[in-house]
Amino acid sequence: MDNSSTAVQRNNSEKCYDPQDPTLTFVDGDDELDFLYIGYKSLRAKMSCGHAVTPMSLTDWCRRLLDQGKSRFVCGKCDVEWPFEEVRKMALLTPEEVNEFKKKMFSNAAPNLKVIECPGCKSRVVRTDLSDLSVRCTVCTAERKNIYKFCWQCLREWKGPAPRSDRCDNDGCQSPLEILKIYPDIVFERVKGVTGCPSIRACPTCGALVQHDGTRCKNVVCPQCKVEFCFVCLKITTECQKIKPYSYFDVCSTGVAPRQTSIPVRQSR
């Protein structure tokens, strides 16, 4: 395991800190995450938030958070968020536990966060900070033994300063908001009464940019999240159809939704 801490096993079940580990700050007192009063025998060590844990109580607490559907780890005493790398080190997670935790984190986060394939290794990456386009791939970073980041927008290796929310310094990396702002209006061949509708929209469910070629009806299916929506009013098709009178080939009774000025974030369905 890539972990500077080493586990000392007791009774072949309890993970305990190595008292000679110089990277840990040991403290006297209670195990502050032992909410069930199990009484783990390990030495107590301080988390970054200052609260004392044992590797078993920390593992129990983080597994409880995952079972509750959480995708991030916060202290049970002060609600400070811990990075996964800190949890892995301080909980002395085994390779099997690391795998288990990552799968649950991804599963819990996926309905609410954008997920994309890393352009380097094709592994799935979750963007947790929606204000930063520079995304670190842990797989590529480990393989290259150097931090690897890519641009969420243009899907090329990150270039320029970070964090940044508009674009990277790669040529041709254009902000989706700029695209939504500058693309011309669409001229529908068969949908009547529509004026002032941009030819590119951000999917109202996941935010992916979708272009309508002007043919067929006013509804499109997002290639990313597979949700069908009305290109004119930007409602999910099933919602648009509830507003009467409804027609696939007439302007919506609620009118044309204005040009978007923000990118929607994937919502739970």
Side-chain angles (χ1 to χ4, degrees):
M1 179 172 59
D2 182 18
N3 195 326
S4 57
S5 297
T6 54
V8 175
Q9 297 291 331
R10 295 190 179 182
N11 300 324
N12 296 319
S13 60
E14 182 178 339
K15 296 181 292 188
C16 294
Y17 291 128
D18 179 352
Q20 304 303 316
D21 189 339
T23 69
L24 300 178
T25 302
F26 295 113
V27 294
D28 295 325
D30 295 332
D31 178 358
E32 296 182 88
L33 290 188
D34 185 12
F35 298 118
L36 298 179
Y37 303 102
I38 294 174
Y40 291 120
K41 302 301 182 183
S42 173
L43 294 171
R44 280 66 168 140
K46 279 204 308 185
M47 297 291 288
S48 57
C49 63
H51 288 105
V53 303
T54 60
M56 293 300 293
S57 69
L58 180 58
T59 301
D60 292 344
W61 172 248
C62 290
R63 187 172 277 126
R64 177 179 171 185
L65 291 175
L66 292 172
D67 289 343
Q68 292 173 349
K70 310 295 185 184
S71 58
R72 299 183 180 184
F73 301 110
V74 297
C75 177
K77 286 289 187 178
C78 64
D79 289 331
V80 166
E81 184 175 342
W82 303 311
F84 180 65
E85 290 303 314
E86 180 181 5
V87 169
R88 181 168 68 173
K89 169 184 169 62
M90 299 298 291
L92 300 177
L93 295 182
T94 65
E96 293 76 19
E97 287 172 329
V98 169
N99 218 20
E100 172 200 347
F101 276 40
K102 284 187 173 181
K103 283 183 178 179
K104 286 186 177 179
M105 288 166 65
F106 180 84
S107 176
N108 292 345
N112 302 304
L113 298 175
K114 286 190 170 185
V115 181
I116 205 168
E117 282 189 352
C118 168
C121 65
K122 305 304 179 183
S123 63
R124 294 179 298 179
V125 180
V126 175
R127 181 184 174 196
T128 55
D129 184 355
L130 298 178
S131 65
D132 185 11
L133 287 174
S134 67
V135 183
R136 178 179 175 178
C137 174
T138 55
V139 176
C140 287
T141 295
E143 289 180 349
R144 301 179 184 207
K145 302 188 185 308
N146 193 25
I147 293 177
Y148 175 80
K149 290 186 177 182
F150 67 92
C151 176
W152 194 265
Q153 190 160 268
C154 69
L155 296 181
R156 285 177 284 177
E157 187 167 0
W158 183 264
K159 185 177 180 180
R164 195 167 169 182
S165 61
D166 56 345
R167 54 165 295 170
C168 69
D169 284 349
N170 282 304
D171 292 338
C173 182
Q174 193 172 28
S175 164
L177 290 178
E178 282 299 312
I179 293 174
L180 293 174
K181 180 180 178 181
I182 65 174
Y183 259 70
D185 292 346
I186 190 173
V187 177
F188 284 102
E189 292 180 3
R190 301 176 61 189
V191 184
K192 302 173 184 178
V194 177
T195 57
C197 179
S199 55
I200 286 186
R201 295 287 210 178
C203 170
T205 300
C206 71
L209 297 191
V210 182
Q211 187 169 16
H212 199 304
D213 64 4
T215 64
R216 302 181 303 278
C217 73
K218 60 189 179 184
N219 298 316
V220 296
V221 176
C222 174
Q224 177 166 285
C225 68
K226 311 304 180 185
V227 172
E228 182 177 311
F229 68 94
C230 175
F231 210 78
V232 176
C233 70
L234 288 181
K235 291 182 175 63
I236 305 303
T237 296
T238 52
E239 294 299 317
C240 179
Q241 290 173 335
K242 292 177 182 179
I243 304 173
K244 306 300 182 180
Y246 176 80
S247 169
Y248 286 101
F249 298 101
D250 286 310
V251 66
C252 307
S253 58
T254 55
V256 178
R259 195 173 285 267
Q260 293 157 290
T261 57
S262 62
I263 305 294
V265 176
R266 183 186 294 272
Q267 301 295 314
S268 299
R269 296 180 62 206

